[in-house]
Amino acid sequence: MIKDHTTGIMELIKNGFDADAENVHVTVRNPTVREQTQITIEDDGTGMTDEEVRGPWATPATDTKQRKKNENIRTAKGRTPLGEKGVGRFAAEKLGKHLKLITKTADSDTEIVITVNWDDFNDGKKSLQSIPLTIEHVAPKQFDGGKHGTYLRMTGPDSRITKKDMEALQRSLLRLLSPDREYSDFDVKLECSEWPDVENIDSTALWNTVTEKFQFKLVCDIMEN
């Protein structure tokens, strides 16, 4: 379901969009050394409640978002959800053996912290029921001062992240983001000190390139009627 690192990161960015986030910050550190690779994705969206964490997030392949799309139910900001089958936790597993998730809603005085070691689920001698999922409610640290949203930190992906992977992510973000940032209510910042050239996701440059490279050109007048 999550074929590569680019797909995994994009799925988690889409989760931020679905949560009405205005900003998503993606950071990739030490991509060339798999054991030391760390990916963090933080958004300023609505965050998740305890019920949402235990329900849709912890339940594989839920159809919550698909049902909302079928019933034309939009978010508070009028967005149509991008996600479909609830594959966020699979994306997190693809991007790191260890996951730390922190989430907080605007009306909560605590933030929820989850730590997952995905290797526990690879032990064929254990049943799913025997593997604990610890959910803590703690005083806000990541989202203090009235902030809200979701933060994910993933370490140790299943394979090394290459520059080709990051370039693919850059292209995917260029296609996702509006070419006119001035009127957009959703933005993504990509940070990768190993390859700083992939951090540029200004789609204005892309669209200028597209409009300059064409095989045919049609010039016409469009009347009011």
Side-chain angles (χ1 to χ4, degrees):
M1 298 182 75
I2 305 296
K3 64 179 182 178
D4 52 36
H5 300 115
T6 299
T7 304
I9 295 175
M10 287 300 295
E11 285 298 328
L12 296 176
I13 291 173
K14 290 177 183 178
N15 281 354
F17 178 87
D18 294 346
D20 274 347
E22 294 183 2
N23 300 282
V24 178
H25 189 177
V26 180
T27 305
V28 180
R29 295 187 175 91
N30 301 317
T32 57
V33 183
R34 187 187 65 79
E35 296 80 3
Q36 300 176 17
T37 299
Q38 178 177 288
I39 302 170
T40 61
I41 301 175
E42 181 175 359
D43 68 58
D44 58 1
T46 56
M48 291 184 286
T49 64
D50 187 270
E51 291 76 15
E52 288 171 327
V53 169
R54 295 177 186 274
W57 187 85
T59 306
T62 57
D63 64 348
T64 305
K65 293 182 180 180
Q66 185 61 52
R67 283 190 287 106
K68 288 183 178 180
K69 285 196 284 189
N70 293 342
E71 298 171 11
N72 199 29
I73 299 175
R74 297 177 179 266
T75 67
K77 289 188 176 181
R79 297 176 181 175
T80 299
L82 294 178
E84 292 185 7
K85 279 293 183 182
V87 295
R89 82 278 310 138
F90 296 123
E93 190 271 341
K94 178 75 175 181
L95 297 173
K97 289 185 177 182
H98 302 278
L99 165 69
K100 185 171 187 177
L101 182 149
I102 306 173
T103 187
K104 180 182 177 295
T105 60
D107 59 355
S108 175
D109 56 1
T110 62
E111 59 187 19
I112 299 173
V113 180
I114 301 174
T115 303
V116 182
N117 179 3
W118 295 110
D119 281 342
D120 291 341
F121 294 87
N122 293 327
D123 187 341
K125 297 180 181 179
K126 293 182 179 179
S127 64
L128 287 176
Q129 291 89 338
S130 68
I131 302 173
L133 179 64
T134 304
I135 302 176
E136 299 178 286
H137 289 256
V138 301
K141 293 182 180 179
Q142 185 70 33
F143 295 103
D144 57 355
K147 293 185 292 186
H148 53 83
T150 299
Y151 167 90
L152 301 103
R153 185 182 70 202
M154 295 143 289
T155 55
D158 62 350
S159 59
R160 187 172 67 88
I161 295 178
T162 65
K163 186 174 183 180
K164 186 176 179 180
D165 293 327
M166 296 303 299
E167 289 171 341
L169 175 62
Q170 182 186 40
R171 290 193 299 270
S172 296
L173 288 172
L174 285 169
R175 290 193 294 265
L176 174 70
L177 299 174
S178 169
D180 194 342
R181 300 289 183 85
E182 182 179 355
Y183 299 99
S184 173
D185 64 351
F186 182 71
D187 197 20
V188 178
K189 179 180 179 181
L190 177 59
E191 185 178 342
C192 180
S193 58
E194 189 91 12
W195 303 300
D197 52 314
V198 305
E199 295 178 349
N200 180 18
I201 50 177
D202 181 4
S203 53
T204 304
L206 171 70
W207 284 102
N208 288 339
T209 302
V210 170
T211 55
E212 291 170 2
K213 293 183 178 180
F214 49 82
Q215 291 177 298
F216 304 94
K217 183 176 182 179
L218 174 66
V219 180
C220 65
D221 293 325
I222 300 177
M223 312 305 292
E224 290 183 1
N225 60 356

